[in-house]
Amino acid sequence: MERLKNWLWSIVRFVLIAGLSFIILYPILQKISTAIKHQSDLYSPIVVWIPETYTLENIKNAISIMNYWDTLLNTFLLAGVTTLLTAASCALAGYAFARLLRSKVSKILFAGVILTILVPPTTILIPMYMNLREFSMFGIIPLLTGDSVNLLDSYWPFILTSMTANSLKAGLFIFIFTQFFRGIPKAIEEAAYIDGAGVGTTFFRIMLPNAIPAIVTVILFSFVWQWNDSFYTTTYLTSSNVMATQLSSLPYNLQILLDGGEAGSTDPFYLSMVQDTGILLSILPLIIMYLFVQKYFVQSIERTGVVG
């Protein structure tokens, strides 16, 4: 019976792993197949995965239309800066909730942080948009300059929200840091205080070095989510060359390139083919990055789960 149970469990585990792998890999493999297909293969009944005519024309068109290399650099800078600022601000907030704030008010504030994880971002989009379009910093800017500042179509919305621990998924990151810092023994901090260290010194020299797994987890999640974000990026940025805005305008720009933008004159299936190629190019840097950091990512997840 024991051997039968182990055999059945092996089958179930294999089916689960194969199913999850199929769900994850199928879209990527499909886009790779689409990227190297010729337009004529769209209507060939015998072509499903392997093209009859291989071509790099789709990739060349996508790179040209998306201004890919400049877009790649801008996206790296945007995702990198927001990731570092988010990790720093969320680590400070998490340490404050874990060690410094002990009143009932802090519990209410922490409940508010948890609530931000559950609230859909669309519910606060309009007030955020209006605040950034007429940014006044509590009325200080109009007092000095006579008018508010429009921060839209710039990187300032991402920088300000990241600095204030209010960026994309910041509530989840604060929760991760809070739980991790709570899992670190208080004796370590007390020993630092006895040696004369203050709160700042204890945080930067004792707590942060012990929180490397949580930091790695937050940095990786924040970078990937910011890279893939299209909701906030297309709302705050309309003319900047980043992946989200370039992908959203790729079919229209391709139509202009091919036939001057005449409606209906370009094959819509071919437009979809080039857009899929652009999506593949946009996720390719993340796939390459994952191949190099997967070891550290898995270790950080394990440490965060055990210690936090």
Side-chain angles (χ1 to χ4, degrees), residues 112-123:
V113 171
I114 302 300
L115 187 63
T116 61
I117 305 175
L118 307 176
V119 174
T122 52
T123 58

Side-chain angles (χ1 to χ4, degrees), residues 54-284:
Y54 292 91
T55 180
L56 297 178
E57 194 67 25
N58 299 330
I59 298 176
K60 292 178 180 178
N61 285 336
I63 290 177
S64 175
I65 296 169
M66 294 173 63
N67 193 13
Y68 182 73
W69 302 114
D70 289 339
T71 300
L72 185 66
L73 177 61
N74 293 337
T75 310
F76 260 114
L77 291 175
L78 175 62
V81 171
T82 55
T83 295
L84 294 177
L85 293 176
T86 297
S89 59
C90 291
L92 290 169
Y95 181 66
F97 281 120
R99 289 289 195 261
L100 304 181
L101 301 178
R102 294 295 183 183
S103 62
K104 293 182 178 179
V105 177
S106 66
K107 296 181 179 179
I108 297 176
L109 292 175
F110 188 69
V113 171
I114 302 300
L115 187 63
T116 61
I117 305 175
L118 307 176
V119 174
T122 52
T123 58
I124 59 173
L125 175 63
I126 294 178
M128 286 284 290
Y129 184 89
M130 297 298 294
N131 185 32
L132 294 169
R133 191 182 68 175
E134 300 178 357
F135 187 72
S136 62
M137 194 182 292
F138 306 104
I140 298 176
I141 295 179
L143 184 64
L144 298 176
T145 63
D147 197 5
S148 58
V149 179
N150 184 6
L151 298 181
L152 297 176
D153 202 17
S154 70
Y155 294 144
W156 280 109
F158 303 95
I159 294 174
L160 292 177
T161 53
S162 299
M163 290 175 59
T164 55
N166 194 34
S167 59
L168 183 66
K169 307 293 185 180
L172 176 61
F173 302 147
I174 294 175
F175 177 77
I176 291 174
F177 276 118
T178 301
Q179 297 303 106
F180 194 91
F181 286 134
R182 284 176 178 174
I184 297 178
K186 293 183 180 179
I188 298 177
E189 287 178 285
E190 293 172 353
Y193 293 148
I194 291 174
D195 290 339
V199 175
T201 303
T202 302
F203 174 71
F204 287 106
R205 300 188 64 178
I206 304 297
M207 302 301 286
L208 274 186
N210 284 283
I212 294 299
I215 294 173
V216 173
T217 301
V218 169
I219 286 177
L220 290 177
F221 275 125
S222 179
F223 186 89
V224 172
W225 279 332
Q226 179 60 56
W227 184 284
N228 293 328
D229 173 62
S230 60
F231 181 76
Y232 287 112
T233 304
T234 54
T235 301
Y236 298 152
L237 292 175
T238 55
S239 60
S240 180
N241 288 339
V242 293
M243 288 296 179
T245 56
Q246 290 294 333
L247 285 176
S248 63
S249 60
L250 180 59
Y252 176 73
N253 292 334
L254 177 63
Q255 193 170 15
I256 293 177
L257 176 67
L258 295 179
D259 50 35
E262 297 179 10
S265 57
T266 304
D267 186 354
F269 296 105
Y270 180 64
L271 295 179
S272 177
M273 175 187 287
V274 178
Q275 187 171 29
D276 284 345
T277 305
I279 294 173
L280 176 65
L281 292 174
S282 70
I283 65 176
L284 185 61

Side-chain angles (χ1 to χ4, degrees), residues 35-66:
I36 59 177
K37 281 181 182 178
H38 191 267
Q39 185 176 359
S40 59
D41 290 342
L42 286 172
Y43 303 101
S44 176
I46 63 173
V47 174
V48 179
W49 285 94
I50 302 176
E52 275 190 309
T53 305
Y54 292 91
T55 180
L56 297 178
E57 194 67 25
N58 299 330
I59 298 176
K60 292 178 180 178
N61 285 336
I63 290 177
S64 175
I65 296 169
M66 294 173 63

